[in-house]
Amino acid sequence: MGVLFDTRTVSQSALEELGAIFRQISLLGTASEHLFVVQKDLSRSIDFLTSFSNLKKLTKISKVIWIDDALFDHEHLLPLFPSIVFLCEGSMEMLDSVAGILKRKILPFSKTHQVSLIVASRLVTATELVIENLGIKGDVSVYFWPELRPLALEPDVLSLCLSQGGLGDLFAGSIAPLDQLASALLDLVIQSNYKIRLTNAFLKGEHSIKLWTIYQNKYQAHLTKVDAKTKKLILDQDDTLFLDQHSFMNRNVDFVCLDRSVDLVSAVLTQLTYTGLCDEYLGVNLGSTTVPEEDLKIKFGDPDDEIYPVVRNLNFSMVGSVLNSKARVLQAEYDKKNNLTDIEEMKKFVGELNSLKESQKWVQKHTVVAENILKAVRNGDVETRVVPGLEADTPSSNKFNAFLELQQEILSDNLDNKRNCAAILQYMYEFEPPLSEVLRLIVLTSIVKKGIREQEFEQLKTEVYNTYGLEGFKTLLNMRELKLVYARESLSFLPSSMSEEATTSAHQLIRDFGAISTTLNLMPISDHVDPENPKDADFGLAGYVPMVARLVEAIYSREFLAGPRDVRVRKHGWDNLDLSALDGELRQEFLIPETKKPLFSSLIPSKSGRLADRKDLVIVSVVGGMTYSEMSMVRFVLGKNSFTKDKQIIFLTTGIIKGDDIIESVRYNC
């Protein structure tokens, strides 16, 4: 498979940009070394990009300290460093904190100091105005570092790493996450040397449409600034791309962008893939998970880790047997040394020894992670069942299983309103779970039931207040305001269209869960579930195919539909796909010049999708964040299709989220 764009260049570009800024700072003064005062959140991102030792070589930073407005007591260091460089994000609060430190601690005594401020932001004009209003313009040299985000968390995952996927800002009506994501998409195009030429756009939801508009405006503005040589490069690539149908199909770049509101269901369900459960129970930050008790940190997507690509998309029940199998193979390789008699064979074994040790190290690391997921899942429960393999390679506990089973009961709509409410309360009384778990169940119920009856909603509201206090009560009310949950009172003597208010909003687009679930086969029925060889993309959640995955799949195949299907190869897209039970604007655009449209007036020949050296790409983006399980399911549905299995996939999103983030983003807005 040909790769159109190597995501590792994103990190390289960010570092090169930061190095260029430091070279500018050095040219303005005589300082050979810098004191680096950095916002702690940004330091984690920088640490992701490179090691401190490498950063020191690149920038001549000698010492790093954190920005702390309340306890900035590093004055004793200032005489040692004639150059002081601050780095922070461009938020009003952070710039105000930095301005306070500068005014009180540094500027009054900085006659011999060179003071610089690097702002990680693309909003140059607005940020410059804030700096001027804070009264530090002219006292410090200001630079902008626009290349920090997105971060390449894995070879196919680019994330802005916004808190809760930027949902808090989106719920508050801010378009900042859209602007940042549009800028990141433009950066991909530019950094690919314009080889990423978007040919199809598939958009669902208000935020996705806005993002696409912002991107197009940014792209057109960018074209006005490029030099003649670059403009010719772009035109030449267009001529090559649209030479004929075959050349087009071999260089197709599809941009699929969905709002998080398209499918809150998959976001609130418990993830069951290896990486998904890591995030649910151990936590994954900037693509890394830690086990403090074992002094272990794993960076997912590490190029030296040959185990992670094998286990990341698996249902967790399969992970133990895979790790054990790999361990046995490695042990067998080690044991060969006992039977070696030939000198050449011994030399070969010695040459492979380092590789065997490296593989064994990664097997051990992932085994520790898997064991600690099991430990976290059990959460103190006495009853556990042991499954051969990784001591117990299937998460099993009363609480864990009860949570999963209740999710499945709600999804299947097996409970009436009263029993549904009673089941949630029983789970709450018996296990005393965190507030987020109870609210996730309430969100799920509201979507499946097209709202919760007023009587049951009042009962849930009262019990949430009594158990979790005012904060839980306010969070639930805020969720109702956003229509993530919805109370309704159905009057039997009125038509349903009059007796029930609309249950959707810009933040929750599923109008009729039962209908859309049936239409898109979101809960496929199978006589035999085999986690090792899944038939459909429901193995990463509780028997549910994420709508994100299904909508991506539907662009290229309708094999998931029940009944007779038209399997003739036509221009792919969402044409004739019934999405009437899903609100929100839908748009799909065929992005070709008017002069080239006659090339595509007929059916695209099927063989064109199987040309050698393919370099076509699918960019999947979710505004408001994606879960690890959703990404695994998208990989699965594209990987099982002969037409798409060789396409490169890049996930470009505002952040990696899990169910608790939905609740936290609402709590943030209380």
Side-chain angles (χ1 to χ4, degrees), residues 540-574:
L541 297 170
Y544 175 80
V545 178
M547 204 175 314
V548 170
R550 204 56 113 195
L551 288 176
V552 172
E553 180 181 15
I555 292 171
Y556 309 100
S557 169
R558 303 292 167 83
E559 290 296 315
F560 59 85
L561 293 177
R565 294 181 293 271
D566 181 359
V567 296
R568 289 176 296 170
V569 178
R570 296 183 180 276
K571 181 176 77 68
H572 57 257
W574 287 329

Side-chain angles (χ1 to χ4, degrees), residues 13 42 46 56 105 192 248 274 309 327 368 602 605 616:
S13 177
L42 287 184
I46 293 172
K56 186 176 179 181
K105 305 276 187 171
S192 73
F248 172 77
Y274 173 67
V368 169
S602 61
D616 45 358

Side-chain angles (χ1 to χ4, degrees), residues 37-272:
V37 189
V38 60
Q39 180 183 343
K40 199 161 189 176
D41 286 344
L42 287 184
S43 72
R44 297 188 184 100
S45 299
I46 293 172
D47 183 56
F48 176 89
L49 293 175
T50 188
S51 65
F52 174 72
S53 58
N54 188 48
L55 183 67
K56 186 176 179 181
K57 293 176 186 176
L58 182 70
T59 60
K60 294 184 179 179
I61 291 170
S62 183
K63 187 173 182 61
V64 178
I65 57 178
W66 312 130
I67 294 173
D68 190 325
D69 189 31
L71 301 171
F72 190 86
D73 55 358
H74 305 289
E75 290 89 342
H76 61 286
L77 294 174
L78 302 184
L80 304 176
F81 299 95
S83 172
I84 305 171
V85 181
F86 282 77
L87 172 64
C88 69
E89 292 178 328
S91 68
M92 175 74 77
E93 295 165 329
M94 183 50 63
L95 289 172
D96 187 46
S97 294
V98 171
I101 294 171
L102 290 170
K103 289 177 181 178
R104 294 193 311 273
K105 305 276 187 171
I106 296 177
L107 293 179
F109 317 102
S110 66
K111 293 181 181 179
T112 59
H113 288 88
Q114 178 186 355
V115 184
S116 308
L117 171 62
I118 304 173
V119 184
S121 173
R122 301 172 187 272
L123 305 176
V124 176
T125 303
T127 306
E128 285 179 335
L129 182 60
V130 171
I131 291 171
E132 183 176 358
N133 290 335
L134 290 172
I136 57 174
K137 185 178 180 180
D139 295 317
V140 298
S141 300
V142 180
Y143 304 87
F144 289 89
W145 185 28
E147 299 285 350
L148 176 60
R149 304 286 172 82
L151 297 178
L153 302 184
E154 297 184 29
D156 60 351
V157 180
L158 295 174
S159 172
L160 295 176
C161 301
L162 301 182
S163 179
Q164 285 93 47
L167 281 171
D169 287 337
L170 294 172
F171 288 156
S174 170
I175 66 166
L178 309 181
D179 187 84
Q180 293 177 62
L181 201 57
S183 295
L185 180 60
L186 179 59
D187 282 348
L188 288 190
V189 173
I190 297 170
Q191 290 180 32
S192 73
N193 201 23
Y194 305 95
K195 292 177 182 176
I196 293 181
R197 198 294 197 184
L198 301 180
T199 56
N200 297 281
F202 303 93
L203 317 167
K204 179 64 176 174
E206 176 186 337
H207 290 139
S208 297
I209 304 295
K210 286 182 179 178
L211 181 145
W212 182 243
T213 301
I214 294 170
Y215 166 76
Q216 289 179 308
N217 290 337
K218 287 179 179 289
Y219 182 70
Q220 292 304 320
H222 171 73
L223 290 182
T224 64
K225 300 173 185 176
V226 300
D227 55 39
K229 183 178 179 181
T230 302
K231 188 162 287 187
K232 184 177 185 305
L233 171 67
I234 296 171
L235 292 174
D236 287 347
Q237 289 184 164
D238 259 19
D239 285 340
T240 303
L241 177 66
F242 297 108
L243 186 64
D244 55 36
Q245 287 187 357
H246 292 274
S247 62
F248 172 77
M249 289 302 294
N250 207 32
R251 297 291 185 273
N252 232 358
V253 179
D254 296 339
F255 178 61
V256 186
C257 187
L258 309 170
D259 285 12
R260 180 69 271 168
S261 53
V262 166
D263 188 11
L264 283 179
V265 170
S266 58
V268 299
L269 293 177
T270 299
Q271 302 176 73
L272 298 179

